[in-house]
Amino acid sequence: MPEMKYCEYFNVNEEYWPCIDESAINSGAKWDTTYPHETFITLLKTTEMMLGGGTNRSIWIHGAYGTGKSQCAFALKRLLEVSEDEVRAYWNKYEPLKKEPVLLEKIVGHKNQGILTAYRYASGSITTPQQLFYAIQESIKNALETNNIEYKGENSLKESVISWLEDPINADMIDKLLQQPKWMSAFSQSSAEQIINALKKSSDVSSLMTNIFDLAAERGITALNLTSDSLRNWILDIIHKNNIKIVFIWDEFSDYFRKNSDSLGEFQKLVSICQEAPFYLMIVTHPLSSLIQKYASVNDKTNPWTVVQQRFDKVEITLPDNIAFDLIGHAFDVKEAARANWAAMTDDLNSSVTAARSAVIKSASIKSESIIRDILPLHPMAALVLKNIASAFQSNQRSMFDFIKTPKDLDVKAFQWFIQNTSPVSERPLLTVDMLWNFFYENGLFL
């Protein structure tokens, strides 16, 4: 009988995403596979308290590399968006959530009262207050359109439009555009001056603002004169007119603080909106200790970094060793035709790591020996090192999840390369700690 490689017994689940980013979300990454470990449930409880008015602060999600912060933020986003039936199905899927029935009902109650969820990923391009304002407005506007919310704050935005049109250069451009047949038929006004007068005198400018936005979108005019005050007024207008709460989740926000450490005042103004209306700017960053090093030794309660932190309730996401092992096991899909043979093989492999298995179970507080069996052919000690290595070296590009998911056809000897080239009867049938070297060092980031 020919020797069977590991890949003939099982595959890595195609729905197993090494990290959650825009690409993963757009490709259909699942949110309901997020295991509700202790710190995720803390995040849910803190969110419920925020939505219920138990605090007048937003939430700051932070944690070490590879702990699943983005996964938790994405799952929270979807929980606030999906139907009540989907929320209840997720709750009934996991034992830790079944123990939180009161929390479930409170979250469902908040959802029924109306929540608009906006989402944004990465902040490295934001280097000025204006860019911050535009990014927030764009994301909220997209969420309004996606959710078919009719009123999009046209009345409050008109002040920014008026300010922009009052610049003679901009007015001259609009005057010329209004002479084109398409815009002549769309607008009842024939000049920028007439548009300004209509905006100032009319109480209902929805139709006119829609025409202006259509023109601006087609001509690539993005330079409306937004300020923190006008953006604030727009957000408040949307909340009050639509009778909704807005939760804005901004993942990978660390770069914003690094690039804007000298201009945090405008950011503070936006975060403080939650003190007067239910607008919550929830940010996701790396560990707090890694941010704004220039303020690390400053204890003055008035310094910008201290004031910014006071605007948030902080939730640290951690990934316990036992949950990390469980997630690895869930990534492996055993082929039905090979299930019986694989069960026999894992018996043999499991018996060869008795001492290591016992040590890792104790160290990682693992309650069931089956969790160790499910991660084979990954050696228990290798799995323990794998879970912690990305955090130790502070890399968000090489993590436990990347090691498992990296395709076999890349010139990197990660897990999928191993199962393509190794069998249960090979001379070295287990992926051991020394085999992590190639991925994390020779072809990794830690040279």
Side-chain angles (χ1 to χ4, degrees), residues 319-326 328 355-369 371-372 375 379-388 400:
L319 184 62
D321 291 339
N322 58 325
I323 300 303
F325 279 46
D326 207 21
I328 293 173
R357 180 177 69 243
S358 298
V360 170
I361 285 175
K362 182 178 179 180
S363 173
S365 301
I366 294 173
K367 296 180 179 179
S368 172
E369 186 177 306
I371 291 177
I372 298 294
I375 67 170
H379 192 284
M381 292 300 296
L384 188 60
V385 171
L386 177 61
K387 185 268 172 180
N388 290 287
M400 173 185 82

Side-chain angles (χ1 to χ4, degrees), residues 40-199:
F40 181 61
I41 292 178
T42 297
L43 174 60
L44 294 180
K45 290 180 177 179
T46 307
T47 301
E48 187 286 313
M49 183 174 67
M50 177 188 73
L51 294 172
T55 177
N56 62 354
R57 293 186 292 270
S58 291
I59 295 174
W60 187 328
I61 303 170
H62 66 103
Y65 301 89
T67 54
K69 301 181 300 297
S70 293
Q71 179 72 48
C72 290
F74 173 57
L76 174 60
K77 167 186 180 289
R78 296 297 291 142
L79 268 173
L80 297 178
E81 292 174 336
V82 300
S83 68
E84 178 179 335
D85 288 343
E86 289 176 272
V87 173
R88 293 188 181 278
Y90 175 69
W91 221 265
N92 291 325
K93 189 176 179 180
Y94 298 99
E95 288 302 320
L97 288 177
K98 291 179 182 178
K99 298 175 183 177
E100 300 287 347
V102 175
L103 179 60
L104 169 61
E105 298 307 325
K106 287 182 177 180
I107 289 177
V108 168
H110 294 316
K111 285 169 59 67
N112 291 336
Q113 292 175 9
I115 298 174
L116 176 73
T117 306
Y119 180 87
R120 197 171 187 91
Y121 185 89
S123 59
S125 62
I126 310 296
T127 57
T128 68
Q130 279 292 312
Q131 290 174 335
L132 175 67
F133 304 152
Y134 289 135
I136 291 175
Q137 184 190 26
E138 177 187 47
S139 297
I140 295 176
K141 183 173 177 288
N142 289 341
L144 291 167
E145 292 174 348
T146 299
N147 289 274
N148 298 315
I149 295 178
E150 185 173 352
Y151 181 68
K152 299 178 178 62
E154 296 89 350
N155 291 332
S156 54
L157 277 179
K158 73 179 183 181
E159 298 303 325
S160 295
V161 174
I162 289 171
S163 176
W164 188 82
L165 287 173
E166 286 178 337
D167 184 310
I169 295 176
N170 298 333
D172 182 61
M173 176 176 63
I174 295 299
D175 288 345
K176 292 177 180 177
L177 288 173
L178 290 175
Q179 302 308 308
Q180 296 180 0
K182 177 176 182 178
W183 303 117
M184 287 179 67
S185 61
F187 285 84
S188 60
Q189 299 81 16
S190 59
S191 68
E193 183 178 2
Q194 289 182 13
I195 292 176
I196 291 172
N197 290 334
L199 291 174

Side-chain angles (χ1 to χ4, degrees), residues 178-434:
L178 290 175
Q179 302 308 308
Q180 296 180 0
K182 177 176 182 178
W183 303 117
M184 287 179 67
S185 61
F187 285 84
S188 60
Q189 299 81 16
S190 59
S191 68
E193 183 178 2
Q194 289 182 13
I195 292 176
I196 291 172
N197 290 334
L199 291 174
K200 287 182 176 179
K201 294 178 180 178
S202 176
S203 58
D204 183 5
V205 295
S206 299
S207 177
L208 177 54
M209 288 294 291
T210 297
N211 287 337
I212 292 170
F213 289 146
D214 287 345
L215 183 150
E218 181 169 306
R219 302 297 302 187
I221 303 171
T222 60
L224 291 176
N225 194 19
L226 267 180
T227 66
S228 59
D229 288 334
S230 60
L231 179 59
R232 169 189 167 278
N233 292 335
W234 178 67
I235 291 171
L236 292 177
D237 189 29
I238 290 170
I239 289 173
H240 294 147
K241 293 286 176 55
N242 294 301
N243 192 27
I244 57 174
K245 299 174 182 178
I246 298 178
V247 176
F248 191 125
I249 300 174
W250 197 327
D251 194 5
E252 288 295 337
F253 200 72
S254 301
D255 284 339
Y256 176 82
F257 291 123
R258 296 192 180 103
K259 295 186 176 184
N260 298 273
S261 60
D262 292 320
S263 57
L264 296 178
E266 298 300 315
F267 175 71
Q268 291 178 43
K269 289 182 183 179
L270 298 177
V271 177
S272 66
I273 294 175
C274 64
Q275 295 180 340
E276 55 183 313
F279 171 72
Y280 307 105
L281 182 56
M282 299 175 61
I283 58 176
V284 185
T285 73
H286 300 317
L288 297 184
S289 59
S290 68
L291 303 174
I292 318 292
Q293 293 298 322
K294 64 178 291 184
Y295 293 128
S297 61
V298 180
N299 295 318
D300 182 4
K301 293 183 179 180
T302 63
N303 85 65
W305 182 234
T306 300
V307 175
V308 164
Q309 291 192 71
Q310 290 172 346
R311 302 292 189 191
F312 293 90
D313 288 321
K314 303 176 192 67
V315 177
E316 181 180 9
I317 298 298
T318 61
L319 184 62
D321 291 339
N322 58 325
I323 300 303
F325 279 46
D326 207 21
L327 291 175
I328 293 173
H330 284 161
F332 302 166
D333 276 343
V334 178
K335 298 178 179 180
E336 195 59 40
R339 191 171 297 276
N341 287 339
W342 179 240
M345 287 292 182
T346 52
D347 280 341
D348 293 338
L349 293 172
N350 198 34
S351 64
S352 68
V353 293
T354 302
R357 180 177 69 243
S358 298
V360 170
I361 285 175
K362 182 178 179 180
S363 173
S365 301
I366 294 173
K367 296 180 179 179
S368 172
E369 186 177 306
S370 64
I371 291 177
I372 298 294
R373 178 190 294 267
D374 289 342
I375 67 170
L376 294 171
L378 191 60
H379 192 284
M381 292 300 296
L384 188 60
V385 171
L386 177 61
K387 185 268 172 180
N388 290 287
I389 194 168
S391 297
F393 287 96
Q394 297 192 339
S395 166
N396 61 351
Q397 298 181 51
R398 286 286 164 108
S399 70
M400 173 185 82
F401 305 106
D402 292 292
F403 182 78
I404 299 298
K405 183 70 174 182
T406 296
K408 58 183 178 295
D409 54 349
L410 294 181
D411 187 26
V412 178
K413 294 182 179 179
F415 183 78
Q416 294 205 54
W417 175 90
F418 178 82
I419 64 174
Q420 287 285 326
N421 292 276
T422 312
S423 81
V425 295
S426 295
E427 182 178 351
R428 297 186 61 185
L430 296 174
L431 194 157
T432 50
V433 173
D434 58 302

